Amino acid sequence: MHLLLVEDDERLARALTRLLEEDRHIVEHAPDGQTGLELATAMDGLDAVILDIGLPDMSGLEVARRIRKAGIDVSILMLTARDTVNDRVLGLDAGADDYVVKPFAYQEIAARLRALGRRAEPGPRRAEPKLAAGAIVLDEAARRVTVNGRTVDLSPREFSLLEALLRHAGRVLSRDQLLDHAWPFSVAVTPNAVDAYVHYLRTKLGEAGAQIETVRGVGYRLDATPGGARTGDDVTADAAAADG
Ligand code: CA
């Protein structure tokens, strides 16, 4: 892979570069956020950015946000020294695809890069049908959500939550189940994060947001037949049948 390493710790950068090059990656190094952004913009065929969160001139979160804002199509692997819930949520929301907590073993980086490489690989993809319920349509391949044909701009977390709810439309998903879907790499995220993101999601979906029902004390359910007569058990059965 063609990689950009944005890391201000010279020793770590040197060691990591050497190991990555031994694995036949091509590595460019930027010691600060500004240089990183310039290289990310200038480099042709860049596959992934390995991005330290603590940089001297700007936060790695800011670098990730600007890379996404600029529409640069590249995977971002965040390096964070702080193993806190907030940093994970912020990092992923800023546009990171995955992250590794320092101190890490090189094998962790190698494994994450392999996973990102597989995701980015062109070629035959398995057919990913659209998921729909009422006015909401989610196109997995295009990573696009529409409500009544209008595109709704969702963050990656919001998209994952909605995807899980649609996939199991009509069924109750617990907060823990939703966490597993939307924060697969974040073992320490609390269920409160789910509540917060469901709130954002409802707001962004507008009227269709009402399709996401709160099941008190348990979690959430996406109404598969909004406006229509509710036929509780049938809805559940349909959703289960469509699930396979
Ligand atoms: Ca640093």
Side-chain angles (χ1 to χ4, degrees):
M1 289 171 89
H2 201 163
L3 306 173
L4 170 61
L5 172 62
V6 186
E7 168 62 76
D8 59 315
D9 182 331
E10 287 291 339
R11 260 190 67 218
L12 176 60
R14 254 200 319 275
L16 195 49
T17 299
R18 185 175 55 79
L19 289 164
L20 288 165
E21 285 176 347
E22 280 173 11
D23 267 354
R24 294 199 300 276
H25 294 293
I26 299 163
V27 187
E28 296 281 343
H29 172 232
D32 56 65
Q34 191 54 45
T35 311
L37 277 172
E38 282 163 17
L39 284 173
T41 311
M43 283 168 76
D44 251 0
L46 183 61
D47 296 304
V49 180
I50 302 173
L51 180 57
D52 185 28
I53 202 166
L55 294 168
D57 56 341
M58 69 177 86
S59 152
L61 295 170
E62 185 57 29
V63 176
R65 253 180 240 118
R66 293 198 198 178
I67 286 174
R68 289 300 176 231
K69 204 171 171 200
I72 299 167
D73 183 23
V74 69
S75 298
I76 299 178
L77 178 62
M78 199 79 102
L79 303 181
T80 172
R82 293 169 290 182
D83 187 13
T84 68
V85 172
N86 204 33
D87 278 356
R88 294 163 187 226
V89 173
L90 287 176
L92 295 168
D93 275 354
D97 296 283
D98 202 350
Y99 65 87
V100 173
V101 177
K102 289 179 177 177
F104 50 78
Y106 173 70
Q107 285 314 319
E108 286 184 65
I109 298 273
R112 302 293 161 86
L113 286 175
R114 277 196 298 275
L116 291 174
R118 272 196 301 275
R119 226 180 292 171
E121 225 165 66
R125 257 180 210 268
R126 90 197 141 82
E128 291 172 299
K130 291 178 182 175
L131 298 169
I136 307 168
V137 178
L138 181 148
D139 183 337
E140 292 188 290
R143 303 286 297 171
R144 205 167 84 101
V145 171
T146 58
V147 171
N148 286 323
R150 230 165 355 104
T151 300
V152 179
D153 191 23
L154 297 182
S155 74
R157 288 320 98 185
E158 292 158 357
F159 187 94
S160 297
L161 276 182
L162 183 59
E163 187 177 28
L165 287 164
L166 280 165
R167 212 172 266 295
H168 305 280
R171 278 193 279 166
V172 181
L173 290 179
S174 70
R175 287 179 177 78
D176 282 339
Q177 286 173 316
L178 288 167
L179 274 180
D180 289 345
H181 276 281
W183 285 266
F185 306 109
S186 315
V187 284
V189 174
T190 68
N192 289 342
V194 172
D195 297 334
Y197 277 83
V198 166
H199 174 74
Y200 300 149
L201 191 52
R202 276 184 180 140
T203 307
K204 287 191 178 177
L205 293 173
E207 246 174 60
Q211 280 177 241
I212 303 174
E213 302 166 344
T214 303
V215 182
R216 198 168 284 281
V218 185
Y220 296 94
R221 171 175 54 205
L222 189 108
D223 187 354
T225 57
R230 289 298 305 274
T231 52
D233 288 341
D234 290 350
V235 171
T236 308
D238 286 348
D243 196 38

